[in-house]
Amino acid sequence: MKFSKKIVCWSSLFFVLLLGIGLAGCGKQQTNAHGHDYVKIYNRHDKLIKTLSNAKSIAYFSDFVGDKGGDSVDSKPVKTSDHAKVIYRYLMHQNKGNVNVTMKAFSNVKYMTVSNIAGIVGPVTFRVSNKEFHTFNHPKS
């Protein structure tokens, strides 16, 4: 009888401990000024020109960076020339985990550079199609 009371007591303590750890993660998460994911677009003078926060835009950027980042891991590193000029900087923010990814679009070469991709050390540079080049060099449209 004494032995089963100890088991019940320890089991209860273990259950309460697990419950406490589980509920600790349910507390209010710290949010940014927007409280959600967003993409901020800056021009070459580092002036904010547009903020995107709708789900469709966020999904597009997330998929684009994920696909290009994944493709570039398999290929040899690409280096842009010294004459490449940054025209826009895209700051992509994911609220969960407070993660920021920066993507730079160039005005005179069909490459983009992305930094802070999870699991990849250092910036990644990749070639873009004509359509992607046009899209990222005209963010207002």
Side-chain angles (χ1 to χ4, degrees):
M1 193 76 154
K2 243 181 178 179
F3 183 72
S4 64
K5 281 185 178 181
K6 282 185 177 182
I7 291 176
V8 170
C9 185
W10 281 107
S11 297
S12 298
L13 180 63
F14 183 72
F15 176 75
V16 169
L17 185 64
L18 283 177
L19 183 64
I21 291 171
L23 291 176
C26 294
K28 184 179 177 185
Q29 289 186 350
Q30 185 177 15
T31 58
N32 57 58
H34 293 274
H36 48 65
D37 299 345
Y38 59 85
V39 176
K40 289 188 175 185
I41 306 169
Y42 296 87
N43 67 13
R44 73 178 93 211
H45 304 294
D46 216 24
K47 181 181 176 196
L48 179 66
I49 60 166
K50 193 170 192 171
T51 300
L52 305 171
S53 59
N54 63 40
K56 187 177 178 180
S57 296
I58 301 300
Y60 176 81
F61 278 93
S62 178
D63 291 346
F64 178 79
V65 170
D67 292 346
K68 292 295 184 174
D71 290 346
S72 66
V73 171
D74 297 331
S75 60
K76 63 182 184 177
V78 176
K79 184 175 178 170
T80 58
S81 64
D82 293 333
H83 71 278
K85 296 176 184 167
V86 175
I87 190 167
Y88 292 105
R89 181 174 58 90
Y90 295 82
L91 174 69
M92 294 161 271
H93 178 83
Q94 181 181 10
N95 195 46
K96 183 179 179 182
N98 198 23
V99 177
N100 290 315
V101 174
T102 302
M103 183 171 67
K104 293 178 182 175
F106 301 102
S107 63
N108 57 341
V109 293
K110 292 183 181 172
Y111 289 98
M112 295 186 83
T113 299
V114 179
S115 54
N116 298 335
I117 299 176
I120 300 177
V121 178
V124 175
T125 301
F126 48 85
R127 192 169 208 9
V128 293
S129 68
N130 288 336
K131 182 180 178 183
E132 293 164 339
F133 179 78
H134 180 74
T135 299
F136 290 106
N137 279 283
H138 300 92
K140 291 182 183 179
S141 57

